[in-house]
Amino acid sequence: MYKMKNFIFISLFSVAYLVSHAQILTIRDGESNQPLEMVTLFSENPLASGVTNAHGQAEISAFKGSSKIEIRMIGYQAETKSYDQLANSGFILVMIQDNITLDQYTVVATRWSQSKREIPAKITSLTPKDITLENPQTAADLLGSSGEIFIQKSQLGGGSPMIRGFATNRLLITVDGIRMNTAIFRSGNLQNVISLDPFSTERVEVFFGPSSVIYGSDAIGGVMSFSTLTSKLSVDDKVNVSGNAALRFSSADKERTGHFDVNVGWKKWALVSSFSQFYFDDLRMGLHGPDEYLRPFYTERVDSTDIVVTNDDPMVQKPTGYSQTNLMQKVRFKPSEKWDFEYGFHYSTTTDYPRYDRLLRTKNGLPRSAEWNYGPQDWMMNNLTITNSSNCKIYDQLTMRLAYQHFEESRIDRDFNDNERRIRLEKVDAFSANLDFAKHIRTNHNFYYGLELVYDDVYSTGMDEDVSTAEIVEGPARYPKSTWASYAAYLTYMYKPSEKMNIQAGARYNQYVLDAEFDTTFYPFPYTTANIDKGSLTGSLGVVLNPVQSLTLSANLSTGFRAPNVDDMGKVFDSEPGSVVVPNPDLEAEYAYNAEIDIAKIFGDVVKIDLAAFYTILENAMVRRDYTLNGQDSIMYNGEMSKVQAVQNSANAYVYGLQAGMEIKLPAGFEISSYFNYQKGEEELDDGTTSPLRHAAPWFGKSSLKLFVNKLLLDFYGMYSGEISYENMPEEEKGKDYIYAIDPDGNPYSPGWYTLNFKALYQLTEQFSITAGIENLTDQRYRPYSSGIVASGRNFIIALKASF
């Protein structure tokens, strides 16, 4: 009896000891008992968040005392547990797969972990599983694979997203919470997003509509938030070593890609390293489609003379190939549960890559350009993120983000049989500091507020090289020597009158300052300096109703702004043959006013419908208009008399549309999903008439049939887009007949298109998986609206991945 009492006492003591000290939560799948990675945990009081690692484990001592820990993962039933409940279960949780759910987690809307059902705006997420299955070549392709973002490409090394009728510098890109947009982001198509490595991308969240309250200038059409691989700490005293290696080949451009990443984690320190190398040859287009898209010739220089060469295979787009290298290194130090430090280094570089659409232009029956390349696109970022959790009077959680980025890009072009090669080099040093606070008062009042400082230093040079003698002389720079700065403060208040209702309101004040010094050596500007120092006030108000678990209703009013940057105010460039854009120091910010509603409904745990409708007005829009320089409406530029234009606040525009999504879970592992996007807009022209909005893409979408069987995932899907006839084409696009098909009346237009595609993912073992697929099964020849390059024809893809 005495021994039995001792045993009971020791057992109870052991259990109590384990419960009081155990801080590692393990989460497993209810059917397979496999560990679940990327499960999110969130608590408001105390404010804490976490994510499970590859072993399904998360260190949760920061959640101690919480009465409500929300545990979610896409595809599984959400769980709400107290810390004590988890402790009583031995810190083991089993999650059950769910047919369809409205619960997802996001961090893009407020920089803090929030349930998607609390945010009064449309948000879409791309998860690691999506990234693995899609196997995208670039980050732009990754965005396009969602079926909710339209991607324009001027060249193979390109990818300019279009969202709700806006693009380029009216969209914002963030990387680990740091804005990537710089003072030289232009209104013409951009390709900066390809600097991001899809292999080192852990998650992408896209916020649709204006979000300037949190992110400031440029966040008019939406925000694309990329979260890269995080440094994972060990949850016990053992060193945690994990990683991945991948190889991929695709046939349309003979892509050869290799990647590896490795994470080493201790209790307080962790390191993650990532490296990717991409090689792309010239891209082959499809067989069936407009003959205008074929590439019958290209140029070469032979014995100091440019010649026209007949293309042996007109379906191969010469020249389009390039290569790219990506590096990432992160170091994390977590000395206590209250403090977390993480340093990140990112680097991306490309070789020269041809601006393919410019090489299609002709003059007097001959190519207009002998060469037109973007020089290496370099991006480097150093960032330090410091997080502190403290239940003090002014915040529960504080996050400081300090970043330095360096951007370098160039343009290299030479006319056909002209010895002068024009080289224009741009460098931007971008500094930023963000201080974000979160404070929860009682259970239903949440405050998110912060400060932001952004400072860009722009350095631009020009060189002209005589290719026959290799002599280089100074040439006109694209931009003036400039600085651009932004100073801002914001506040967002979230009120929960009940578990079924959430109200969110926010405001931001932004002061922006631009200083420029103009060089009059090459152009007789009537000024040598320019200064802009103005402010902008934006706000938002939204409400979310969750009357039942299967229904979410939301409405949102929001404003956005875009401050004039160096590209708007100070650039000299040829926008099109016969026109030259010159600086305008009198610009002001443009504003967007947006209203939207969103309805998401689940029917019988089998069908999910999501509908979002929006209407956006853009006022004081910065657009190119005819201008005068020293009283002249035309000047000599690159040896050609060119009409003078400048970016001016001379237009209003509007865009409205509908975004629809559907998911259906069927028996035996089948799943159907479909996404459809319709947008229509108009902008005011110089003469007072209107034209279709240039960046309002035609209707487009994606429909998919998937099958999940044990270790196998099959996906048969279609991508599609509507036609834009000549009558409905923006005036600016009508002059680019070299990139469009020709209708029976001899006018350019953008035909509708579709592709059928098949992909498969098979998990060979816990460590090895293989992905294979065929894109564009029927070998369609198509060019997405406004694109310079024709999309790939039938494309065979195979990828091998090893995890450890």
Side-chain angles (χ1 to χ4, degrees):
M1 189 69 171
Y2 175 80
K3 290 182 178 181
M4 179 61 69
K5 288 181 179 180
N6 278 344
F7 175 79
I8 295 173
F9 175 79
I10 293 172
S11 299
L12 291 174
F13 177 83
S14 299
V15 171
Y17 178 87
L18 289 171
V19 169
S20 64
H21 287 77
Q23 300 169 329
I24 301 170
L25 174 66
T26 300
I27 303 179
R28 296 182 176 276
D29 180 277
E31 293 184 9
S32 67
N33 202 38
Q34 293 297 309
L36 294 178
E37 185 179 9
M38 299 299 292
V39 180
T40 60
L41 300 92
F42 177 71
S43 165
E44 289 188 350
N45 186 24
L47 184 59
S49 61
V51 181
T52 57
N53 61 18
H55 305 291
Q57 296 177 325
E59 212 281 340
I60 64 167
S61 58
F63 293 81
K64 191 170 184 178
S66 175
S67 60
K68 184 180 178 182
I69 302 174
E70 298 175 2
I71 305 168
R72 290 186 172 90
M73 183 176 183
I74 297 175
Y76 288 82
Q77 295 178 9
E79 299 281 350
T80 300
K81 301 288 185 180
S82 69
Y83 185 89
D84 290 342
Q85 287 176 315
L86 294 175
N88 291 334
S89 66
F91 291 102
I92 296 175
L93 178 68
V94 172
M95 296 190 72
I96 306 301
Q97 294 189 26
D98 195 6
N99 278 344
I100 290 185
T101 177
L102 294 178
D103 292 309
Q104 296 185 49
Y105 253 81
T106 180
V107 297
V108 67
T110 60
R111 294 183 184 268
W112 309 99
S113 294
Q114 272 188 281
S115 169
K116 184 179 177 181
R117 300 190 74 182
E118 296 178 344
I119 301 171
K122 179 173 174 58
I123 296 172
T124 192
S125 299
L126 291 167
T127 65
K129 190 174 183 179
D130 299 322
I131 298 170
T132 299
L133 177 63
E134 292 297 337
N135 251 316
Q137 288 190 348
T138 68
D141 295 332
L142 173 60
L143 292 169
S145 70
S146 68
E148 299 180 89
I149 301 169
F150 193 90
I151 301 297
Q152 180 277 350
K153 290 186 178 183
S154 296
Q155 63 281 328
L156 184 60
S160 188
M162 295 183 182
I163 299 176
R164 289 190 173 184
F166 297 102
T168 62
N169 55 15
R170 290 179 180 137
L171 300 177
L172 187 70
I173 303 170
T174 69
V175 183
D176 293 336
I178 307 297
R179 63 179 289 132
M180 194 181 192
N181 293 37
T182 72
I184 64 170
F185 266 41
R186 58 189 181 272
S187 59
N189 297 308
L190 292 169
Q191 59 270 357
N192 295 76
V193 73
I194 72 166
S195 292
L196 305 178
D197 182 2
F199 282 106
S200 66
T201 299
E202 195 165 71
R203 188 174 180 183
V204 183
E205 293 160 332
V206 181
F207 183 103
F208 293 88
S211 52
S212 287
V213 168
I214 303 300
Y215 291 104
S217 179
D218 303 1
I220 287 180
V223 174
M224 294 161 283
S225 175
F226 289 81
S227 299
T228 61
L229 296 174
T230 56
S231 308
K232 296 180 175 64
L233 299 166
S234 176
V235 295
D236 51 34
D237 293 329
K238 298 179 181 178
V239 179
N240 175 35
V241 180
S242 60
N244 302 279
L247 295 172
R248 185 177 64 218
F249 171 82
S250 59
S251 63
D253 53 9
K254 296 182 174 61
E255 176 208 5
R256 292 92 65 203
T257 290
H259 164 82
F260 77 84
D261 63 78
V262 60
N263 183 96
V264 182
W266 296 268
K267 286 284 288 184
K268 294 184 177 181
W269 289 88
L271 309 171
V272 62
S273 305
S274 174
F275 173 82
S276 298
Q277 182 66 55
F278 307 83
Y279 295 98
F280 306 105
D281 286 347
D282 296 331
L283 181 66
R284 178 194 175 277
M285 66 181 74
L287 178 63
H288 308 290
D291 289 342
E292 294 89 353
Y293 293 172
L294 293 171
R295 178 66 161 155
F297 65 86
Y298 58 94
T299 64
E300 285 187 353
R301 190 165 180 82
V302 179
D303 296 330
S304 301
T305 302
D306 295 324
I307 63 172
V308 178
V309 179
T310 300
N311 193 354
D312 293 335
D313 186 350
M315 290 194 298
V316 176
Q317 301 173 84
K318 293 187 176 182
T320 51
Y322 75 104
S323 62
Q324 180 170 329
T325 304
N326 281 80
L327 296 169
M328 188 193 76
Q329 177 65 57
K330 289 187 178 182
V331 180
R332 183 180 179 187
F333 176 51
K334 191 173 183 180
S336 68
E337 288 305 317
K338 292 188 176 182
W339 288 96
D340 199 340
F341 301 81
E342 186 168 56
Y343 163 76
F345 172 78
H346 301 259
Y347 178 71
S348 174
T349 186
T350 69
T351 58
D352 289 1
Y353 51 98
R355 173 80 187 262
Y356 181 72
D357 61 338
R358 291 296 178 99
L359 298 174
L360 301 177
R361 301 178 303 171
T362 59
K363 183 179 181 180
N364 299 325
L366 292 172
R368 183 181 181 89
S369 298
E371 55 182 286
W372 212 120
N373 294 315
Y374 285 113
Q377 179 171 289
D378 294 344
W379 169 62
M380 179 188 70
M381 181 171 77
N382 293 270
N383 68 296
L384 176 65
T385 301
I386 303 172
T387 303
N388 174 240
S389 300
S390 176
N391 190 19
C392 64
K393 291 183 178 180
I394 62 172
Y395 68 86
D396 295 325
Q397 193 171 90
L398 173 153
T399 301
M400 176 185 291
R401 296 177 177 90
L402 305 174
Y404 162 66
Q405 300 179 78
H406 177 78
F407 299 82
E408 189 168 322
E409 58 188 50
S410 57
R411 293 161 178 79
I412 306 161
D413 75 289
R414 184 175 61 82
D415 291 342
F416 190 75
N417 275 329
D418 188 334
N419 287 333
E420 183 182 71
R421 175 185 289 143
R422 295 172 290 272
I423 304 169
R424 305 294 180 258
L425 174 66
E426 286 76 54
K427 298 179 180 180
V428 179
D429 289 313
F431 304 85
S432 63
N434 291 85
L435 194 59
D436 300 306
F437 303 87
K439 181 62 180 177
H440 300 270
I441 301 177
R442 295 191 294 273
T443 59
N444 56 353
H445 299 276
N446 300 324
F447 292 88
Y448 306 96
Y449 60 100
L451 303 171
E452 181 184 71
L453 165 65
V454 178
Y455 182 87
D456 287 2
D457 193 351
V458 179
Y459 178 73
S460 181
T461 59
M463 295 177 290
D464 294 332
E465 177 186 5
D466 188 323
V467 296
S468 64
T469 65
E471 181 185 359
I472 298 177
V473 298
E474 183 182 3
R478 182 177 172 90
Y479 298 113
K481 179 175 174 55
S482 312
T483 61
W484 184 90
S486 170
Y487 313 94
Y490 78 91
L491 169 66
T492 296
Y493 168 62
M494 187 174 70
Y495 172 54
K496 288 184 178 180
S498 71
E499 287 296 322
K500 297 182 178 181
M501 184 177 185
N502 182 59
I503 301 171
Q504 188 166 299
R508 177 190 183 101
Y509 180 76
N510 215 114
Q511 190 75 15
Y512 55 90
V513 181
L514 193 161
D515 290 295
E517 298 178 7
F518 293 92
D519 183 356
T520 58
T521 303
F522 298 95
Y523 301 109
F525 299 128
Y527 37 75
T528 57
T529 63
N531 172 265
I532 298 176
D533 188 349
K534 297 180 180 179
S536 295
L537 180 66
T538 53
S540 64
L541 175 63
V543 60
V544 181
L545 298 175
N546 298 297
V548 293
Q549 188 65 27
S550 61
L551 176 65
T552 295
L553 307 169
S554 67
N556 191 40
L557 300 173
S558 58
T559 61
F561 81 100
R562 187 172 76 82
N565 64 20
V566 175
D567 186 87
D568 299 311
M569 187 274 288
K571 175 173 58 178
V572 178
F573 82 114
D574 59 326
S575 61
E576 57 191 14
S579 296
V580 58
V581 175
V582 300
N584 175 14
D586 299 320
L587 287 173
E588 298 179 353
E590 58 186 18
Y591 289 88
Y593 303 90
N594 178 74
E596 64 182 282
I597 57 173
D598 195 335
I599 302 173
K601 171 66 176 172
I602 291 178
F603 299 90
D605 295 330
V606 175
V607 178
K608 175 184 174 182
I609 301 292
D610 192 338
L611 296 173
F614 65 92
Y615 191 98
T616 305
I617 298 172
L618 184 67
E619 291 188 350
N620 218 26
M622 289 180 272
V623 294
R624 288 199 302 264
R625 293 287 185 263
D626 290 345
Y627 198 63
T628 60
L629 185 63
N630 293 327
Q632 296 180 309
D633 61 6
S634 298
I635 62 172
M636 291 297 296
Y637 181 76
N638 287 342
E640 181 177 356
M641 184 60 69
S642 301
K643 180 189 298 183
V644 175
Q645 295 182 324
V647 175
Q648 305 171 57
N649 297 108
S650 299
N652 295 325
Y654 71 86
V655 60
Y656 62 88
L658 176 71
Q659 294 175 277
M662 177 186 68
E663 295 179 30
I664 303 175
K665 295 285 188 178
L666 299 173
F670 285 95
E671 175 186 314
I672 295 174
S673 63
S674 188
Y675 302 95
F676 179 81
N677 308 268
Y678 173 82
Q679 47 279 313
K680 183 177 179 59
E682 288 189 346
E683 60 183 333
E684 185 180 4
L685 299 179
D686 199 19
D687 60 3
T689 61
T690 60
S691 168
L693 194 61
R694 178 190 173 196
H695 289 134
W699 59 261
F700 69 96
K702 175 182 180 180
S703 297
S704 173
L705 172 63
K706 292 181 180 178
L707 173 62
F708 301 84
V709 181
N710 297 324
K711 299 179 179 181
L712 179 65
L713 169 57
L714 303 177
D715 186 10
F716 179 72
Y717 64 96
M719 307 283 290
Y720 40 85
S721 176
E723 173 186 306
I724 294 186
S725 65
Y726 177 76
E727 291 75 19
N728 293 321
M729 185 171 287
E731 289 299 317
E732 189 173 345
E733 294 295 302
K734 289 181 178 179
K736 303 176 183 177
D737 56 355
Y738 52 90
I739 65 172
Y740 287 108
I742 303 300
D743 68 18
D745 295 325
N747 296 316
Y749 80 109
S750 179
W753 54 267
Y754 75 93
T755 63
L756 299 177
N757 315 270
F758 175 78
K759 290 183 179 175
L761 169 62
Y762 185 67
Q763 193 72 39
L764 297 169
T765 67
E766 288 189 7
Q767 289 77 34
F768 294 96
S769 64
I770 182 171
T771 305
I774 306 176
E775 295 177 334
N776 195 358
L777 280 161
T778 57
D779 210 18
Q780 298 296 304
R781 182 186 305 153
Y782 69 101
R783 178 181 262 142
Y785 164 70
S786 192
S787 292
I789 193 169
V790 183
S792 70
R794 186 181 294 117
N795 187 28
F796 296 89
I797 303 169
I798 186 167
L800 302 174
K801 181 180 179 181
S803 301
F804 57 92

